[in-house]
Amino acid sequence: MLVGTTIFHICAYGQVAEKRAPRGFDKVRANIFRGNIDTVSYTSETVGTTRKALVYTPPLFSENKNYPVLYLLHGIGGDETEWLRGGSPQVIFDNLYADGKLAPMIVVMPNGRAMEDDRATGDIMAREKVVAFATFERDLLDDLIPFIEKQYPVKSSREYRAIAGLSMGGGQALNFGLGNLDEFAWVGGFSAAPNTKDPHTLVPDPGLAKEKLKLLWISCGDQDELLRFSQQTHEYLLDHEVPHIYYIEPGGHNFKVWKNDLYMFSRLLFKPVD
Ligand code: FER
C-alpha cells in the first residue's frame, strides 16, 4: 500500500499508472459485453419499510461464481438512482471490463437516506434527513448486506467488501468503512461532506486501520468548497502513518469529478496491493 500526496500522484498496482480516466471512458461503446442493472427491494428492520437499491452485475455474470461487492453511495440531493442518472457507472464499468481493467464485482447502489420517506424531496438539508444518512449505517449492515448476500452469489468476507460514495455518501463510506473494519477492507470517499467524522473519531486506532485496510482512497476536486474535510482526514492519516491514496483533481463538486474517481478507484479494487 502506498501513499499518494501530490496532485495526480497515484500508484501503479502492477499496471501502467493512469493519472486520470482516458477520453471516452464514459461513452457507450459498440460490440462489447454489458453488465445488467436490477432494482431490488429489501425489508429494512432498521427503518420499518421496504427499501430499494440498484444492483449492477458485471458482463458474463454467472450464478456459479462468487463475486466481491462494492457498495456505492449517493449524495444529499440523490437517492439510489443518482449514480445511474448522473454518473453512468454501468458504462464506465462495461468499458473497464472490455479493456480487462476491472476485477469482476457486483456493485450495489442503495438509498442512503434511511427513513420512511427516503426521497430527495422538500428540504434535503432538514435535520431528520441528514440524521437519516447516519441511520443508514444500521440499515446497510443489518438489512441490506444480509439481503444481498442471500440474493446474489457473493464473497461475504471483509476482504471482498468495499464501500465508496460521493459527498454525503463519501462521508458515509469513510464513517461506516473505517468504523467497521471487520466488515470492509476497501474504502473510498469522493468529495466527502461535513458528515465525515472528525479524524480522531474516524480513525481512533491508526495501527488497526493500517493492519486491516487494503485500500483507503480519499479524493476531491481542487475547486470543491468541501475540500477541507478530505484534507483534514488526509493530514491525520499522514501524521499517523495510515497508508492511503489522496487524489486531488481539477474540478468542483460534480459528476465530472466523481466519474473520474469511480474509474480510478474501482480499478484498484479486489486486486493485490503492494
Ligand atoms: C453541508 C454541505 C454539503 C452538508 C451536506 C452537504 C449536512 C452535502 C453535499 C452533497 O451530498 O452533495 O453543510 O451538511
Side-chain angles (χ1 to χ4, degrees):
M1 180 95 66
L2 296 151
V3 184
T5 54
T6 54
I7 290 181
F8 278 163
H9 183 106
I10 191 121
C11 319
Y13 282 68
Q15 316 184 43
V16 176
E18 273 177 307
K19 292 185 174 180
R20 62 176 307 148
R23 280 172 68 126
F25 78 106
D26 58 346
K27 300 287 179 290
V28 175
R29 275 194 229 164
N31 307 318
I32 61 168
F33 292 111
R34 299 188 197 288
N36 188 55
I37 294 176
D38 303 327
T39 300
V40 297
S41 295
Y42 64 99
T43 303
S44 169
E45 298 286 340
T46 303
V47 182
T49 56
T50 299
R51 312 196 68 232
K52 285 198 166 79
L54 302 189
V55 181
Y56 169 91
T57 49
L60 308 175
F61 171 74
S62 163
E63 290 284 346
N64 301 322
K65 291 186 189 150
N66 282 310
Y67 296 86
V69 185
L70 165 63
Y71 292 85
L72 184 62
L73 311 178
H74 62 81
I76 201 157
D79 58 24
E80 72 279 4
T81 66
E82 185 180 29
W83 269 102
L84 193 64
R85 285 183 291 112
S88 47
Q90 79 288 17
V91 178
I92 296 172
F93 294 144
D94 289 348
N95 290 343
L96 277 165
Y97 284 116
D99 293 339
K101 288 177 176 169
L102 204 56
M105 69 181 88
I106 289 174
V107 182
V108 179
M109 290 166 273
N111 182 314
R113 190 182 292 96
M115 62 193 291
E116 196 170 338
D117 177 3
D118 61 9
R119 299 297 99 194
T121 51
D123 178 8
I124 54 170
M125 291 284 188
R127 193 182 141 70
E128 71 272 17
K129 298 198 184 190
V130 172
V131 168
F133 277 84
T135 308
F136 181 63
E137 182 168 8
R138 297 283 24 118
D139 179 274
L140 174 66
L141 292 170
D142 302 341
D143 303 314
L144 179 57
I145 290 176
F147 171 84
I148 292 295
E149 295 185 351
K150 240 186 263 160
Q151 294 295 316
Y152 287 89
V154 303
K155 294 181 175 167
S156 56
S157 61
R158 59 180 295 283
E159 288 84 3
Y160 297 103
R161 206 181 285 131
I163 186 165
L166 69 89
S167 200
M168 280 298 270
Q172 288 177 310
L174 296 177
N175 293 345
F176 307 165
L178 298 172
N180 296 280
L181 292 168
D182 289 338
E183 306 294 338
F184 302 98
W186 311 78
V187 178
F190 309 161
S191 314
N195 63 327
T196 309
K197 290 180 180 172
D198 81 87
H200 285 91
T201 313
L202 193 61
V203 186
D205 185 345
L208 187 68
K210 184 173 180 167
E211 179 197 320
K212 292 248 171 179
L213 288 168
K214 297 254 187 216
L215 173 66
L216 174 53
W217 164 284
I218 293 172
S219 58
C220 198
D222 61 358
Q223 303 299 310
D224 193 321
E225 288 178 5
L226 302 182
L227 176 58
R228 68 184 182 282
F229 298 98
S230 295
Q231 176 133 26
Q232 73 186 16
T233 310
H234 158 65
E235 282 167 5
Y236 175 93
L237 295 168
L238 208 53
D239 286 348
H240 293 83
E241 298 177 353
V242 180
H244 64 288
I245 289 173
Y246 186 53
Y247 179 80
I248 300 299
E249 63 215 279
H253 197 73
N254 57 52
F255 264 108
K256 187 160 187 284
V257 164
W258 301 324
K259 287 165 79 170
N260 183 58
D261 295 338
L262 184 63
Y263 177 96
M264 297 299 295
F265 172 78
S266 63
R267 34 174 304 182
L268 303 178
L269 292 176
F270 311 120
K271 292 179 180 174
V273 193
D274 85 41

